[in-house]
Each structure stands twice: as C-alpha cells, then as structure tokens.
Coordinates of all heavy atoms in Angstrom, one line a residue:
M1 N 0.8 -1.2 0.0 CA 0.0 0.0 0.0 C 0.9 1.2 0.0 O 1.8 1.3 0.8 CB -0.9 0.0 1.3 CG -2.2 0.7 1.0 SD -3.2 0.7 2.6 CE -3.6 -1.0 2.7
P2 N 0.7 2.1 -0.9 CA 1.5 3.3 -1.0 C 1.3 4.3 0.1 O 0.2 4.4 0.7 CB 1.2 3.9 -2.4 CG -0.2 3.4 -2.7 CD -0.4 2.1 -2.0
I3 N 2.3 5.1 0.3 CA 2.3 6.2 1.3 C 1.9 7.5 0.6 O 2.6 7.8 -0.4 CB 3.6 6.3 2.1 CG1 3.9 5.1 2.9 CG2 3.6 7.6 2.9 CD1 5.2 5.1 3.6
Y4 N 1.0 8.2 1.0 CA 0.6 9.5 0.4 C 0.9 10.6 1.4 O 0.8 10.4 2.6 CB -0.8 9.5 0.0 CG -1.2 8.5 -1.1 CD1 -1.8 7.3 -0.8 CD2 -0.8 8.8 -2.4 CE1 -2.0 6.4 -1.8 CE2 -1.1 7.9 -3.4 CZ -1.7 6.7 -3.1 OH -2.0 5.8 -4.1
E5 N 1.3 11.7 0.9 CA 1.6 12.9 1.7 C 0.6 14.0 1.4 O 0.3 14.3 0.3 CB 3.0 13.4 1.4 CG 4.1 12.4 1.8 CD 5.4 13.0 1.5 OE1 5.5 14.0 0.7 OE2 6.4 12.4 2.0
Y6 N 0.0 14.5 2.5 CA -1.0 15.6 2.3 C -0.4 16.8 3.1 O -0.1 16.7 4.3 CB -2.3 15.2 2.9 CG -2.9 14.0 2.1 CD1 -2.5 12.7 2.4 CD2 -3.8 14.2 1.1 CE1 -3.0 11.6 1.7 CE2 -4.3 13.1 0.4 CZ -3.9 11.9 0.7 OH -4.4 10.8 0.0
Q7 N -0.3 17.9 2.3 CA 0.2 19.1 3.0 C -0.9 20.1 3.3 O -1.8 20.4 2.5 CB 1.2 19.8 2.0 CG 1.9 21.0 2.7 CD 3.1 21.5 1.9 OE1 3.1 21.5 0.7 NE2 4.1 21.9 2.6
C8 N -0.9 20.5 4.5 CA -1.9 21.4 5.0 C -1.7 22.8 4.4 O -0.6 23.3 4.3 CB -1.8 21.5 6.5 SG -3.0 22.7 7.3
E9 N -2.8 23.4 4.0 CA -2.7 24.7 3.4 C -2.7 25.8 4.4 O -2.4 27.0 4.2 CB -3.9 25.0 2.4 CG -3.8 24.0 1.2 CD -4.9 24.2 0.2 OE1 -5.7 25.2 0.4 OE2 -5.1 23.4 -0.7
K10 N -3.0 25.5 5.7 CA -3.0 26.5 6.7 C -1.6 26.5 7.4 O -1.0 27.6 7.5 CB -4.0 26.1 7.8 CG -5.4 26.7 7.4 CD -6.4 26.3 8.4 CE -6.4 27.3 9.6 NZ -7.5 27.0 10.6
C11 N -1.1 25.4 7.9 CA 0.1 25.4 8.6 C 1.2 24.7 7.9 O 2.4 24.6 8.4 CB -0.1 24.7 10.0 SG -0.3 22.9 9.9
E12 N 1.0 24.2 6.7 CA 1.9 23.5 5.8 C 2.5 22.2 6.4 O 3.5 21.8 6.0 CB 3.1 24.5 5.5 CG 2.5 25.7 4.7 CD 3.7 26.5 4.1 OE1 4.8 26.3 4.5 OE2 3.4 27.3 3.2
H13 N 1.9 21.8 7.5 CA 2.3 20.5 8.0 C 2.0 19.4 7.0 O 1.0 19.4 6.4 CB 1.6 20.2 9.3 CG 2.0 18.9 10.0 ND1 3.1 18.8 10.8 CD2 1.4 17.7 9.9 CE1 3.1 17.5 11.2 NE2 2.1 16.8 10.7
V14 N 2.9 18.5 6.9 CA 2.7 17.3 6.0 C 2.3 16.1 6.8 O 3.1 15.7 7.7 CB 4.0 17.0 5.2 CG1 3.8 15.8 4.3 CG2 4.3 18.3 4.3
T15 N 1.2 15.6 6.4 CA 0.7 14.3 7.1 C 0.9 13.2 6.1 O 0.5 13.2 5.0 CB -0.8 14.5 7.4 OG1 -1.0 15.6 8.2 CG2 -1.3 13.2 8.1
E16 N 1.6 12.2 6.6 CA 1.8 11.0 5.8 C 0.8 9.9 6.2 O 0.5 9.7 7.4 CB 3.2 10.4 6.0 CG 4.3 11.3 5.4 CD 5.6 10.6 5.5 OE1 5.7 9.6 6.1 OE2 6.6 11.1 4.8
V17 N 0.2 9.2 5.2 CA -0.8 8.2 5.5 C -0.7 7.1 4.5 O -0.4 7.3 3.3 CB -2.2 8.8 5.5 CG1 -2.6 9.3 4.1 CG2 -3.2 7.8 6.1
L18 N -0.8 5.9 5.0 CA -0.9 4.7 4.2 C -2.3 4.5 3.8 O -3.2 4.3 4.7 CB -0.4 3.5 5.0 CG 1.1 3.1 4.9 CD1 1.3 2.0 5.9 CD2 1.5 2.6 3.5
R19 N -2.6 4.4 2.5 CA -4.0 4.2 2.1 C -4.0 3.5 0.8 O -3.1 3.7 0.0 CB -4.8 5.4 2.2 CG -4.3 6.6 1.4 CD -5.2 7.7 1.2 NE -6.0 8.0 2.4 CZ -6.8 9.1 2.5 NH1 -6.8 10.0 1.6 NH2 -7.5 9.3 3.6
P20 N -5.1 2.8 0.5 CA -5.2 2.2 -0.9 C -5.2 3.2 -2.0 O -5.6 4.4 -1.8 CB -6.5 1.5 -0.8 CG -6.9 1.4 0.6 CD -6.3 2.6 1.3
M21 N -4.7 2.8 -3.1 CA -4.6 3.8 -4.2 C -5.9 4.4 -4.6 O -6.0 5.6 -4.9 CB -4.1 3.1 -5.5 CG -2.6 2.9 -5.5 SD -2.0 2.4 -7.1 CE -0.5 1.7 -6.7
G22 N -7.0 3.6 -4.4 CA -8.3 4.1 -4.8 C -8.8 5.3 -3.9 O -9.7 6.0 -4.3
R23 N -8.1 5.4 -2.8 CA -8.5 6.5 -1.9 C -7.5 7.6 -1.8 O -7.6 8.5 -1.0 CB -8.7 5.9 -0.5 CG -9.8 4.9 -0.4 CD -9.9 4.3 1.0 NE -10.2 5.4 2.0 CZ -10.0 5.3 3.3 NH1 -9.6 4.1 3.8 NH2 -10.2 6.3 4.1
A24 N -6.7 7.6 -2.8 CA -5.6 8.6 -2.8 C -6.1 10.1 -2.9 O -5.5 11.0 -2.3 CB -4.6 8.4 -3.9
D25 N -7.2 10.2 -3.6 CA -7.7 11.6 -3.8 C -8.7 12.1 -2.7 O -9.1 13.2 -2.7 CB -8.5 11.7 -5.1 CG -7.5 11.6 -6.3 OD1 -6.3 12.0 -6.1 OD2 -7.9 11.1 -7.3
E26 N -8.9 11.2 -1.7 CA -9.7 11.7 -0.6 C -8.9 12.6 0.3 O -7.7 12.5 0.4 CB -10.1 10.5 0.3 CG -11.2 9.6 -0.3 CD -11.6 8.4 0.6 OE1 -11.4 8.6 1.8 OE2 -12.0 7.4 0.1
S27 N -9.6 13.6 0.8 CA -8.9 14.6 1.6 C -8.6 14.0 2.9 O -9.3 13.1 3.4 CB -9.7 15.9 1.7 OG -10.9 15.6 2.3
L28 N -7.6 14.6 3.6 CA -7.2 14.1 4.9 C -7.1 15.3 5.8 O -6.5 16.3 5.4 CB -5.9 13.4 4.7 CG -5.4 12.7 6.0 CD1 -6.0 11.3 6.2 CD2 -3.9 12.5 5.9
A29 N -7.6 15.2 7.0 CA -7.5 16.3 7.9 C -6.0 16.4 8.4 O -5.4 15.4 8.6 CB -8.4 16.1 9.1
C30 N -5.6 17.6 8.5 CA -4.2 17.9 9.0 C -4.1 17.3 10.4 O -4.9 17.6 11.3 CB -3.9 19.4 9.0 SG -2.3 19.8 9.8
E31 N -3.0 16.5 10.6 CA -2.9 16.0 12.0 C -2.4 17.0 13.0 O -2.4 16.7 14.2 CB -2.0 14.7 11.9 CG -0.5 15.1 11.6 CD 0.4 13.9 11.6 OE1 -0.1 12.8 11.8 OE2 1.6 14.1 11.4
S32 N -1.9 18.1 12.4 CA -1.3 19.1 13.3 C -2.4 20.1 13.8 O -2.5 20.4 15.0 CB -0.2 19.8 12.6 OG 0.3 20.9 13.4
C33 N -3.1 20.7 12.8 CA -4.1 21.7 13.2 C -5.5 21.3 13.0 O -6.5 22.0 13.3 CB -3.8 23.0 12.5 SG -4.2 23.0 10.7
G34 N -5.7 20.2 12.3 CA -7.1 19.7 12.1 C -7.8 20.2 10.9 O -8.9 19.9 10.6
S35 N -7.1 21.1 10.2 CA -7.7 21.7 9.0 C -8.0 20.6 7.9 O -7.2 19.7 7.7 CB -6.8 22.8 8.4 OG -7.3 23.2 7.2
K36 N -9.1 20.8 7.3 CA -9.4 19.9 6.2 C -8.8 20.4 4.9 O -9.0 19.7 3.8 CB -10.9 19.7 6.0 CG -11.5 19.1 7.3 CD -11.9 17.6 7.0 CE -12.3 16.9 8.3 NZ -13.7 17.2 8.7
K37 N -8.2 21.5 4.9 CA -7.7 22.1 3.7 C -6.3 21.5 3.4 O -5.2 22.2 3.7 CB -7.6 23.6 3.7 CG -9.0 24.2 3.7 CD -8.9 25.7 3.2 CE -10.3 26.2 2.9 NZ -10.3 27.5 2.3
T38 N -6.2 20.4 2.9 CA -4.9 19.7 2.6 C -5.0 19.3 1.2 O -6.0 19.1 0.6 CB -4.7 18.5 3.5 OG1 -5.8 17.6 3.3 CG2 -4.6 18.8 5.0
H39 N -3.8 19.3 0.6 CA -3.7 18.8 -0.8 C -2.6 17.7 -0.9 O -1.6 17.8 -0.1 CB -3.5 19.9 -1.8 CG -2.2 20.7 -1.5 ND1 -2.2 21.9 -0.8 CD2 -0.9 20.5 -1.9 CE1 -1.0 22.3 -0.7 NE2 -0.2 21.5 -1.3
R40 N -2.9 16.8 -1.7 CA -1.9 15.7 -1.8 C -0.7 16.1 -2.6 O -0.7 16.8 -3.6 CB -2.6 14.5 -2.6 CG -1.7 13.3 -2.6 CD -2.6 12.1 -2.9 NE -3.3 12.1 -4.1 CZ -2.9 11.6 -5.3 NH1 -1.7 11.0 -5.4 NH2 -3.6 11.7 -6.4
R41 N 0.4 15.7 -2.0 CA 1.7 16.0 -2.7 C 2.1 14.7 -3.5 O 1.6 13.6 -3.2 CB 2.8 16.3 -1.7 CG 2.5 17.4 -0.7 CD 3.7 18.0 -0.2 NE 4.7 17.0 0.3 CZ 5.9 17.4 0.7 NH1 6.3 18.6 0.7 NH2 6.7 16.4 1.2
N42 N 2.9 14.9 -4.4 CA 3.4 13.7 -5.1 C 4.4 13.0 -4.2 O 5.4 13.5 -3.8 CB 4.2 14.1 -6.4 CG 3.3 14.5 -7.5 OD1 2.2 14.0 -7.6 ND2 3.7 15.4 -8.4
S43 N 4.0 11.8 -3.8 CA 4.8 11.1 -2.9 C 6.0 10.5 -3.7 O 6.0 10.5 -4.9 CB 4.0 9.9 -2.3 OG 3.7 9.0 -3.2
E44 N 6.9 10.0 -3.0 CA 8.1 9.4 -3.6 C 7.6 8.1 -4.4 O 8.2 7.7 -5.4 CB 9.1 9.0 -2.6 CG 9.8 10.2 -2.0 CD 10.9 9.8 -1.0 OE1 11.8 9.1 -1.4 OE2 10.8 10.2 0.2
F45 N 6.6 7.5 -3.9 CA 6.1 6.4 -4.6 C 5.7 6.7 -6.0 O 5.9 6.0 -6.9 CB 4.9 5.8 -3.8 CG 4.3 4.6 -4.4 CD1 4.8 3.3 -4.1 CD2 3.2 4.7 -5.3 CE1 4.2 2.2 -4.7 CE2 2.7 3.5 -5.9 CZ 3.2 2.3 -5.6
A46 N 5.0 7.9 -6.2 CA 4.5 8.3 -7.5 C 5.6 9.0 -8.3 O 5.5 9.0 -9.5 CB 3.3 9.2 -7.3
A47 N 6.5 9.6 -7.6 CA 7.5 10.4 -8.4 C 8.8 9.8 -8.5 O 9.9 10.3 -8.3 CB 7.6 11.8 -7.6
G48 N 8.8 8.6 -9.0 CA 10.0 7.9 -9.3 C 10.7 7.1 -8.2 O 11.8 7.2 -7.9
A49 N 9.9 6.3 -7.6 CA 10.4 5.5 -6.5 C 11.5 4.5 -7.1 O 12.3 4.0 -6.3 CB 9.3 4.7 -5.8
S50 N 11.4 4.2 -8.4 CA 12.3 3.3 -8.9 C 13.8 3.8 -8.9 O 14.7 3.1 -8.9 CB 12.0 3.0 -10.4 OG 12.0 4.2 -11.2
K51 N 13.9 5.2 -8.8 CA 15.2 5.7 -8.7 C 15.7 5.9 -7.3 O 16.9 6.1 -7.1 CB 15.2 7.1 -9.4 CG 14.9 7.1 -10.9 CD 15.1 8.4 -11.5 CE 14.9 8.3 -13.0 NZ 15.2 9.5 -13.8
R52 N 14.8 5.8 -6.4 CA 15.2 6.0 -5.0 C 16.2 4.9 -4.6 O 15.9 3.7 -4.9 CB 14.0 6.0 -4.2 CG 14.2 6.6 -2.8 CD 12.9 6.8 -2.1 NE 12.9 6.3 -0.8 CZ 11.8 5.8 -0.2 NH1 10.7 5.7 -0.8 NH2 11.8 5.4 1.0
G53 N 17.2 5.2 -3.9 CA 18.1 4.2 -3.4 C 19.3 4.1 -4.3 O 20.4 3.7 -3.9
C54 N 19.1 4.4 -5.6 CA 20.3 4.2 -6.6 C 21.3 5.2 -6.3 O 22.5 5.0 -6.7 CB 19.8 4.3 -8.0 SG 18.9 2.8 -8.6
N55 N 21.0 6.4 -5.7 CA 22.0 7.4 -5.5 C 23.1 6.9 -4.5 O 24.2 7.5 -4.5 CB 21.3 8.6 -4.8 CG 20.4 9.3 -5.8 OD1 20.5 9.1 -7.0 ND2 19.6 10.2 -5.4
D56 N 22.8 5.9 -3.8 CA 23.8 5.4 -2.8 C 24.7 4.3 -3.4 O 25.6 3.9 -2.8 CB 23.1 4.8 -1.6 CG 22.3 5.9 -0.9 OD1 22.7 7.1 -0.9 OD2 21.3 5.6 -0.3
L57 N 24.3 3.9 -4.7 CA 25.1 2.9 -5.3 C 26.2 3.4 -6.1 O 26.2 4.6 -6.5 CB 24.1 2.0 -6.1 CG 23.0 1.3 -5.4 CD1 22.0 0.7 -6.3 CD2 23.6 0.3 -4.4
P58 N 27.2 2.6 -6.4 CA 28.3 3.0 -7.3 C 27.8 3.4 -8.7 O 26.7 3.0 -9.1 CB 29.2 1.8 -7.4 CG 28.8 0.9 -6.3 CD 27.3 1.2 -6.0
P59 N 28.6 4.2 -9.4 CA 28.1 4.6 -10.8 C 27.8 3.4 -11.7 O 28.5 2.4 -11.6 CB 29.3 5.4 -11.3 CG 30.1 5.8 -10.1 CD 29.8 4.7 -9.1
M60 N 26.8 3.6 -12.5 CA 26.4 2.6 -13.4 C 27.3 2.6 -14.7 O 27.8 3.6 -15.1 CB 24.9 2.8 -13.8 CG 24.0 2.7 -12.7 SD 23.9 1.1 -12.0 CE 24.2 1.5 -10.3
P61 N 27.4 1.5 -15.3 CA 28.1 1.5 -16.6 C 27.2 2.2 -17.6 O 26.0 2.3 -17.5 CB 28.2 0.0 -16.9 CG 27.1 -0.7 -16.1 CD 27.0 0.2 -14.9
P62 N 27.8 2.7 -18.7 CA 27.1 3.4 -19.7 C 26.0 2.5 -20.4 O 26.2 1.3 -20.4 CB 28.1 3.8 -20.8 CG 29.4 3.5 -20.2 CD 29.2 2.5 -19.1
G63 N 24.9 3.1 -20.8 CA 23.9 2.4 -21.5 C 22.7 2.0 -20.7 O 21.9 1.2 -21.0
G64 N 22.6 2.7 -19.6 CA 21.4 2.5 -18.8 C 21.7 2.0 -17.4 O 22.8 1.3 -17.2
C65 N 20.8 2.2 -16.5 CA 21.0 1.8 -15.2 C 20.5 0.3 -15.1 O 19.3 0.0 -15.3 CB 20.2 2.7 -14.2 SG 20.3 2.1 -12.5
G66 N 21.4 -0.6 -14.8 CA 21.0 -2.0 -14.7 C 20.2 -2.3 -13.4 O 19.7 -3.4 -13.3
R67 N 20.2 -1.4 -12.5 CA 19.5 -1.7 -11.3 C 18.1 -1.2 -11.2 O 17.2 -1.8 -10.7 CB 20.4 -1.2 -10.1 CG 21.7 -1.9 -10.1 CD 22.5 -1.7 -8.8 NE 23.9 -2.0 -9.1 CZ 24.8 -2.1 -8.1 NH1 24.5 -1.9 -6.9 NH2 26.0 -2.5 -8.4
C68 N 18.0 0.0 -11.7 CA 16.6 0.6 -11.6 C 15.9 0.5 -13.0 O 14.7 0.8 -13.1 CB 16.6 2.0 -11.1 SG 17.2 3.2 -12.3
G69 N 16.7 0.1 -14.0 CA 16.0 -0.1 -15.3 C 15.8 1.2 -16.1 O 15.1 1.2 -17.1
D70 N 16.3 2.3 -15.6 CA 16.1 3.6 -16.3 C 16.9 3.6 -17.7 O 18.1 3.5 -17.7 CB 16.6 4.7 -15.5 CG 16.3 6.1 -16.0 OD1 15.9 6.1 -17.2 OD2 16.3 7.0 -15.3
P71 N 16.1 3.6 -18.8 CA 16.8 3.6 -20.1 C 17.6 4.8 -20.4 O 18.4 4.8 -21.4 CB 15.6 3.4 -21.1 CG 14.4 4.0 -20.4 CD 14.7 3.8 -18.9
N72 N 17.4 5.9 -19.7 CA 18.1 7.1 -20.0 C 19.5 7.1 -19.5 O 20.3 8.1 -19.7 CB 17.3 8.3 -19.4 CG 16.0 8.5 -20.1 OD1 15.9 8.3 -21.3 ND2 15.0 8.8 -19.3
G73 N 19.9 6.1 -18.8 CA 21.2 6.1 -18.3 C 21.2 5.9 -16.8 O 20.2 5.7 -16.2
P74 N 22.4 5.9 -16.2 CA 22.5 5.7 -14.8 C 21.7 6.7 -14.0 O 21.7 7.9 -14.4 CB 24.0 5.9 -14.5 CG 24.7 5.7 -15.8 CD 23.7 6.1 -16.9
C75 N 21.1 6.3 -13.0 CA 20.2 7.2 -12.3 C 21.1 8.0 -11.3 O 22.2 7.7 -11.1 CB 19.1 6.4 -11.6 SG 19.8 5.2 -10.5
G76 N 20.5 9.0 -10.8 CA 21.1 9.8 -9.8 C 22.0 10.9 -10.4 O 22.8 11.6 -9.8
M77 N 21.9 11.0 -11.7 CA 22.7 12.0 -12.4 C 22.0 13.3 -12.5 O 20.8 13.3 -12.8 CB 23.1 11.6 -13.8 CG 23.9 10.3 -13.8 SD 25.5 10.5 -13.0 CE 26.4 11.4 -14.3
Ligands
ZN1 ZN1 -2.5 22.1 9.5

C-alpha cells in the first residue's frame, strides 16, 4: 500500500498516511491543526520510486541503469 503525503494549506504540516490507491484523492485532515484544507503531494512512490536508493550505489556502466532499469542512463545524475 503506497504512502501518500498531504500538505496542510494552513500550517503547511505534511501528514503521511498509508492508504489504498483508490482512496488517494480523498482529503485528509491535518494531523497538526485539524484543518481539512490539505492537498496531496506527489509522494516518492509516485514520483520515481524506482530511482530512489540508486543514489547510494556506485556509478552505473554506460547504456542504462541496470539496477533501476532507467533507459536514459545511470540514475542519480
Ligand atoms: Zn495544519
């Protein structure tokens, strides 16, 4: 189950929550101030989780990242 982040528009607190993908667009009350005015941020899950972690690995050989499968080349560049 992916983790989603919701940022409060009042206090900018980010609330993280585990929820099914089908409920990703449901609003979530801010856990800090209780405001319902929150908007979902692109979580790392949605914004390229495949690249996450590769930054800590040694440089990839030319021709693509063999570990994350990125055809554009070694990730983390
Ligand atoms: Zn808040």
